Amino acid sequence: IVDFDIPYNELGFYGNCNREMVFIQPSVKALVNLTETPFFFLVLDEIEHVHFERVTYTTKNFDVAFIFKNFDIVPRVVTAIDMKSLDLIQDWLSDVGITYTAGAQNMAWNDVMKMVREFVRGGIE
């Protein structure tokens, strides 16, 4: 069975997911950029939570970290997203049932995920 998922062009936003700004489009099952190589593709079923970084009233851009259900995978961060896209992205995440949080600081994801793995495996009390 082939299942097609068409990205929502009107919900698209520009962000840096590799080394350059690209147009990223959400859909029902994924978040993609298929116009520039290397392609960017996140399957939403693999995402546990999303965290918005550098969200303040004084910045023009923010970053977003996609935290995987497999805590052994370091979160995928898309940087330099225009603040105007914040509400659209949050609304889309709510629509697809993914939780999110926001903060003013960037996170050291390697360290954060190391603590999460230790906690999940019973190493932190």
Side-chain angles (χ1 to χ4, degrees), residues 2-125:
V2 177
D3 190 15
F4 291 96
D5 190 11
I6 300 171
Y8 300 118
N9 193 45
E10 66 277 4
L11 297 180
F13 58 91
Y14 284 91
N16 186 339
C17 54
N18 291 306
R19 279 170 245 123
E20 62 184 308
M21 294 295 282
V22 295
F23 190 62
I24 301 169
Q25 295 174 285
S27 69
V28 173
K29 297 182 181 186
L31 184 65
V32 300
N33 169 269
L34 303 173
T35 58
E36 304 291 331
T37 57
F39 300 123
F40 174 77
F41 192 87
L42 281 176
V43 177
L44 298 183
D45 285 345
E46 298 174 358
I47 303 300
E48 176 73 22
H49 183 76
V50 173
H51 182 70
F52 294 91
E53 302 176 324
R54 297 188 309 119
V55 177
T56 66
Y57 294 108
T58 60
T59 58
K60 294 182 180 181
N61 298 311
F62 65 93
D63 304 333
V64 61
F66 296 90
I67 303 160
F68 295 94
K69 290 178 180 176
N70 178 351
F71 293 148
D72 292 324
I73 301 173
V74 176
R76 184 69 191 265
V77 179
V78 177
T79 61
I81 302 168
D82 192 302
M83 195 60 79
K84 294 180 217 169
S85 300
L86 182 64
D87 289 337
L88 281 175
I89 297 169
Q90 289 177 339
D91 289 346
W92 168 71
L93 289 170
S94 293
D95 288 346
V96 296
I98 295 178
T99 60
Y100 61 86
T101 52
Q105 300 293 322
N106 283 42
M107 304 288 279
W109 287 109
N110 286 328
D111 297 338
V112 170
M113 295 313 294
K114 181 181 176 191
M115 289 189 327
V116 168
R117 286 189 297 273
E118 288 173 2
F119 180 78
V120 168
R121 294 177 182 143
I124 296 177
E125 297 185 22

